[in-house]
Amino acid sequence: MRRWWPCCGEQVQRLSCGNEGLRTSYRPDWKMGSNSSRIGDLPKNEYLKKLSGTESVSENDPFWNQLLSFSFPAPTSSTELKLLEEATVSVCRSLVVNNPRTGNLGALIKVFLSRTKELKLSAECQNHIFIWQTHNALFIICCLLKVFICEMSEEELQLHFTYEEKSPGSYSSDAEDLLEELLCCLMQLITDIPLLDITYEISVEAVSTMVVFLSCQLFHKEVLRQSISHKYLMRGRCLPYTSKLVKTLLYNFIRQEKPPPPGAHVLPQQSDGGGLLYGLASGVATGLWTVFTLGGVGSKAAATPELSSPLANQSLLLLLVLANLTDAADTPNPYRQAIMSFKNTQDSSPFPSSIPHAFQINFNSLYTALCEQQTSDQATLLLYTLLHQNSNVRTYMLARTDMENLVLPILEILYHVEERNSHHVYMALIILLILTEDDGFNRSIHEVILKNITWYSERVLTEISLGSLLILVVIRTIQYNMTRTRDKYLHTNCLAALANMSAQFRSLHQYAAQRIISLFSLLSKKHNKVLEQATQSLRGSLSSNDVPLPDYAQDLNVIEEVIRMMLEIINSCLTNSLHHNPNLVYALLYKRDLFEQFRTHPSFQDIMQNIDLVITFFSSRLLQAGAELSVERVLEIIKQGAVALPKDRLKKFPELKFKYVEEEQPEEFFIPYVWSLVYNSAVGLYWNPQDIQLFTMDSD
C-alpha cells in the first residue's frame, strides 16, 4: 500500500475554467530522498503546524487544498513506521491542547465528509486529484485518531469530536455527532465506492481507519464489554450498514485485488478533471504549491506474497475484529449475526424473518479463496469462524467433492508446527475436529487418493489416501507435543479428531497403521518411565520427610488418559471396520508384546478385551500357517481371517464421538488473538509496543 504526502515541486496550472469546469495538468517533479530523514521534519511543516496551532481554520478555507496536496510512498519498515508515529504524536499533542479552542479537528472531518459526498461521481469521472486529496484527508484523520485513541480516554476523545469554534473549551452537547457521522461515512465509502485503480488507496484507508477506531481495545488488559465501538456500531445510524459491510469485506477477501502499479493511478501525467478539484475552496490555488517530499514513487519495497492484496488483508482483519466484538448489554453483536446467517447465492429459499442482517454470497468463490489463503493466521481464523458459526457454510463445505483442496493446507499448517504460532495450530486442529464430527467426511477422505505429497519429508508418499495422510499428520503433531510443548489441550483435540474418524478408518496406508502403533509404543514407554520415577521417589521419601514429592500421580493420570484414548481408537477401528484395515491388524500383531502389560491393568482391562481377542485370533491362524511367512502371505491370512472372525465375539462399546464446543467466555481467547493479528499483520499501521496492554509481545 502506498501512502501519499506532499511532493515538492508539483506544479498545477489552471488551463480553463468555464462551463466544463476546471481542467488541470501536472508536471510531477519527484524529489528522491530518505523517507526516514524527512519524516522527522513533519512537525515543522507549516500546514501541519497551522492545523494543530492556535488559529481556527474554517472548513471553507483554501488552506485545506494546500494541506491535502501531498504524496509519498508508504513507509515499509517498522523503523520508518515508528518514525511516522513519533512525528504524528508531536503534531497530535499540539492539536490536543489547541483543538478545544480552534475546533480544527472537526473542521478537517467536515472537509472530508463534504468531499465523500462527491466521491462516487469523482470515481466515475476519473477525477484523480479530487480522490487523491480526499484520501489524504482520511490519512491525516486516521493518523490523528490513532494517537488520540492511544493517549486519551473515550470521554475525552468524544469531546474532541464535539468542539466547535466558540469560546475556549466550549462545546455543545446537542451538536452533530461527528464521530458517528465519520463512521457512517467510512461504511458508505467501503461499501458503495466502486473499486478502481484510482479508488484502491482510499478504500484501503477507509478500512484501516475503521480498524483504528476499534483499536481502543489494544490499550486495555481486560476485554471491553462497553465502549464507543458498542455505542456507534451496534445501534443508531451505523446499524443499517451491517450486512452490506460484512458482505463487502468478505468479497474484498475473496477477490484478493492487487494494488495498481505505483504512480500509475493517482498522479497521471495528464488529466481532464471535472469541476470538483476545489469544490471546498473559496479560490483556486495557482502557481507552485509549497509542499514537501518524503521520497519518490520507486522507493517502495516489493510487497510480500502474503500481503499481495492490502485491501483483502485489511478487510479480513476488520471483519474478524467486528465479528469478535462482545455483545452489548442489550444488543447482540450484529456483525456476528450477519456472519452466522448469510447464505449461498444459489440458495433461493427465503430468510426467516427472525434472522437480522441477512445476505447472500457466492459460496464457491468463498471456498476457493479460503483454500488458497490458509498460509495466514487470519484466513484460518475466518475458516474456523465460518465452520463453527455458520451452518450454511459448514453444510456446503462438507458436501464438496474436492475437500482435499481445503484439508491439505490445514494439514500443512500442522505439519510445520515448529514454524507456526500456537494459536494458528489450535485453529487448524479445531477445524479438523469440526470436520471429523461428520461421518460423511470421515468416509469420503479415505476415497480421495493423493500422489507425491512433497511437503511430507519423513517418508516418500507416492500414493496415499487423504484419510491416511490426516492420521499421519495428527499423530506427528501429538508426538511433537509430547516432546516439546506438552500441551494437554493440544493432545485432547488431536485424539478427539482421531477418535471421531476411527469407526470409518478404511484401507489405512501401512505407514499410517505403523504410526498408530508406534505412538502407542511411545506412550507405553512414557508410562513405564513415569511409573518408575514415582516408585523411586516414593522410596526416597521414606528416608527424608523434608523433601517434597514431585506430582508424579498427576503425570501418570494424564498419560493413562491418553493411553486409554489410543486403545479406544484402535478398538473402535477393529470393532467397526476390521475387514477394511488389514495393515492395522498386521501392525498390531507385529507389536503385540506392547499390549501385554495392559491386559490386567485395572484402567484398561475392559477396552483390552477386543484387542486381546483380535491378537489371539490372528496369531493362532498365523501359527497354523507355519513359519517363514512373507508379508504378502501374512496380509492374505489376515484378510481371510477378518471374514471368518464372528462379529458377535467383539464386545460393543458406545460410539466414540467428540464434538467441539467453545469454552465459556471465548472472547477472552479470541479478542487478544485477533488484535495480535492486527498488530502484526495490518498494512501501514504501527502501534508502540510499550502502549499495548491487551497481550504481551511474545503471545503470538
Side-chain angles (χ1 to χ4, degrees), residues 217 223 324 326 666-676 694:
Q217 176 65 78
V223 168
N324 285 282
T326 56
E667 64 274 9
E668 298 291 342
F669 170 85
F670 285 104
I671 289 178
Y673 179 33
V674 168
W675 277 106
S676 73
L694 182 62

Side-chain angles (χ1 to χ4, degrees), residues 261-277:
H265 52 300
V266 177
L267 291 174
Q269 286 299 107
Q270 291 190 339
S271 172
D272 292 318
L276 304 176
L277 175 57

Side-chain angles (χ1 to χ4, degrees), residues 45-175:
N45 178 263
E46 59 179 289
Y47 298 115
L48 293 178
K49 285 170 74 174
K50 185 171 181 177
L51 172 67
S52 59
T54 57
E55 178 188 343
S56 292
V57 184
S58 162
E59 61 201 81
N60 296 313
D61 196 298
F63 159 79
W64 299 109
N65 274 329
Q66 298 165 329
L67 172 69
L68 303 179
S69 300
F70 58 77
S71 58
F72 78 97
T76 54
S77 70
S78 58
T79 303
E80 291 169 348
L81 284 166
K82 183 180 179 183
L83 285 169
L84 179 60
E85 174 81 0
E86 289 169 351
T88 309
V89 167
S90 173
V91 174
C92 279
R93 284 177 179 160
S94 177
L95 186 62
V96 167
V97 172
N98 295 317
N99 188 58
R101 290 184 294 277
T102 65
N104 284 348
L105 176 63
L108 171 62
I109 290 169
K110 287 177 182 177
V111 168
F112 170 72
L113 293 174
S114 177
R115 282 174 167 269
T116 55
K117 293 172 184 173
E118 302 177 57
L119 204 55
K120 196 169 183 180
L121 179 61
S122 298
E124 292 169 0
C125 297
Q126 293 284 303
N127 193 327
H128 295 255
I129 286 192
F130 187 85
I131 294 169
W132 166 51
Q133 290 187 322
T134 308
H135 167 270
N136 288 348
L138 182 55
F139 173 54
I140 294 174
I141 291 168
C142 185
C143 289
L144 296 174
L145 185 62
K146 187 154 69 70
V147 179
F148 273 45
I149 286 173
C150 175
E151 299 217 341
M152 63 181 66
S153 68
E154 291 187 349
E155 292 76 16
E156 291 175 288
L157 178 69
Q158 288 178 285
L159 283 178
H160 274 279
F161 277 80
T162 55
Y163 289 130
E164 296 178 355
E165 185 186 356
K166 293 182 178 179
S167 56
S170 68
Y171 68 95
S172 172
S173 59
D174 59 352

Side-chain angles (χ1 to χ4, degrees), residues 2 4 28 30-32 71-73 261-264 267 295-301:
R2 301 171 65 241
W4 299 92
W30 298 98
K31 283 194 177 179
M32 305 301 290
S71 58
F72 78 97
L267 291 174
V297 177
S299 62
K300 188 180 190 304

